[in-house]
């Protein structure tokens, strides 16, 4: 099942710089997209979401961009902090079924001090 | 901040045994879910539950699996006869409403090891 793909398994960024995490999807019926962060031995923690009627959503240091024509979304973290080091999952749902999420495989972000 | 609580954090069982994984969702949430993540693979949906009924289940959720809300606070996942391939991290999640304003909140998971 490759409906949601995160092609970069890892990303390393210097503290204070921008982190950009990418996600591609194939199902044109997806209408809701989310980013979750996961620390070791913990469950995924919700970060930010966007519905398909928008192309940008911002919450503090986190901004999600959605490009429907390219079936691509990205998460920008500015400025990056060492505490942001975690695995980031992109997830999507279709037909308004917001409880059934299709996850990407995750990108491990390391923010270096 | 309210959170989803899962017990135990780690469960080891022998193949063929029954296991029950327990979850206490956020108290005012009405929609409950189980997901799992096999080591090295994606987090995948198992089942959703609302109003004491299964709303939707994936093809993974076969007759060996069942869910129950035995009281007003707990939500359980039972695997009747465990197989080696059931070894995974199992996450419980809950949400207040099934819409864009209520993202899923996940627990810390139960690591199930079947030997």
């Amino acid at each position: 099942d490759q409906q949601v793909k995160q092609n970069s398994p890892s990303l390393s960024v210097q503290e204070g710089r921008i982190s950009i995490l990418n996600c591609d999807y194939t199902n044109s019926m997806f209408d809701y997209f989310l980013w979750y962060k996961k620390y070791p031995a913990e469950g995924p923690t919700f970060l930010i979401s966007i519905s398909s009627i928008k192309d940008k959503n911002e919450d503090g240091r986190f901004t999600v961009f959605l490009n429907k024509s390219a079936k691509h979304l990205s998460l920008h973290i500015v400025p990056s902090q060492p505490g942001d080091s975690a695995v980031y999952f992109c997830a999507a749902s279709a037909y308004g079924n917001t409880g059934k999420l299709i996850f990407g495989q995750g990108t491990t972000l390391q923010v270096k001090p | 901040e309210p959170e989803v609580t899962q017990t135990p954090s780690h469960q080891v069982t022998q193949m063929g045994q029954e296991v029950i994984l327990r979850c206490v969702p956020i108290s005012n949430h009405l929609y409950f879910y189980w997901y799992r993540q096999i080591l090295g693979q994606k987090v995948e949906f198992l089942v959703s539950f609302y109003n004491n009924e299964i709303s939707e289940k994936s093809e993974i959720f076969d007759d060996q699996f069942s869910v129950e809300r035995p009281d007003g606070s707990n939500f359980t996942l039972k695997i009747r006869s465990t197989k080696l391939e059931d070894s995974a991290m199992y996450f419980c999640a809950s949400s207040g409403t099934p819409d864009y304003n209520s993202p899923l909140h996940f627990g810390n998971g139960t690591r199930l090891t079947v030997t």
Side-chain angles (χ1 to χ4, degrees):
Chain A
D1 178 4
Q2 292 293 314
Q3 295 189 71
V4 178
K5 289 185 287 188
Q6 294 175 254
N7 292 317
S8 298
S10 63
L11 175 68
S12 182
V13 170
Q14 207 66 34
E15 181 179 6
R17 306 297 291 268
I18 185 171
S19 295
I20 300 176
L21 297 106
N22 294 303
C23 178
D24 297 297
Y25 63 94
T26 56
N27 189 343
S28 57
M29 293 296 107
F30 285 149
D31 54 10
Y32 180 51
F33 305 88
L34 309 91
W35 285 94
Y36 280 85
K37 177 172 73 173
K38 185 181 181 303
Y39 294 118
E42 294 186 11
T45 301
F46 170 74
L47 269 180
I48 193 168
S49 64
I50 188 168
S51 75
S52 58
I53 61 173
K54 294 186 174 182
D55 54 19
K56 177 182 174 182
N57 190 26
E58 193 171 352
D59 183 1
R61 296 186 297 115
F62 302 93
T63 302
V64 56
F65 295 92
L66 176 62
N67 182 334
K68 289 186 288 292
S69 60
K71 293 192 177 66
H72 177 83
L73 66 155
S74 60
L75 174 69
H76 292 210
I77 306 173
V78 184
S80 302
Q81 299 172 353
D84 295 330
S85 297
V87 179
Y88 287 78
F89 292 100
C90 169
S93 68
Y95 307 109
N97 189 353
T98 57
K100 183 181 179 182
L101 300 178
I102 308 300
F103 280 85
Q105 54 268 66
T107 296
T108 300
L109 173 66
Q110 183 184 27
V111 180
K112 297 179 178 178
Chain B
E1 184 175 325
E3 57 183 30
V4 176
T5 305
Q6 290 186 243
T7 55
S9 57
H10 192 187
Q11 174 88 49
V12 181
T13 189
Q14 288 191 326
M15 194 167 52
Q17 295 296 304
E18 174 184 286
V19 293
I20 298 176
L21 310 183
R22 302 181 191 279
C23 169
V24 178
I26 294 173
S27 62
N28 62 346
H29 283 184
L30 300 175
Y31 296 81
F32 313 119
Y33 310 87
W34 285 100
Y35 283 74
R36 79 173 185 188
Q37 184 179 28
I38 295 172
L39 188 64
Q41 297 186 23
K42 296 181 178 183
V43 177
E44 51 190 352
F45 169 83
L46 290 179
V47 67
S48 58
F49 189 87
Y50 169 70
N51 200 25
N52 283 320
E53 288 184 347
I54 290 175
S55 309
E56 186 170 359
K57 57 185 181 180
S58 72
E59 58 190 26
I60 302 166
F61 195 89
D62 62 22
D63 291 342
Q64 293 300 312
F65 291 88
S66 62
V67 290
E68 188 181 27
R69 188 153 164 83
D71 52 45
S73 58
N74 290 283
F75 179 52
T76 62
L77 174 68
K78 181 194 289 187
I79 309 175
R80 290 189 183 81
S81 178
T82 50
K83 302 188 280 279
L84 293 176
E85 54 265 37
D86 293 326
S87 294
M89 196 75 170
Y90 287 80
F91 294 106
C92 174
S94 68
S95 67
T97 53
D99 59 40
Y100 304 144
N101 295 316
S102 185
L104 268 60
H105 292 259
F106 286 85
N108 286 338
T110 293
R111 180 169 299 284
L112 176 65
T113 302
V114 182
T115 61

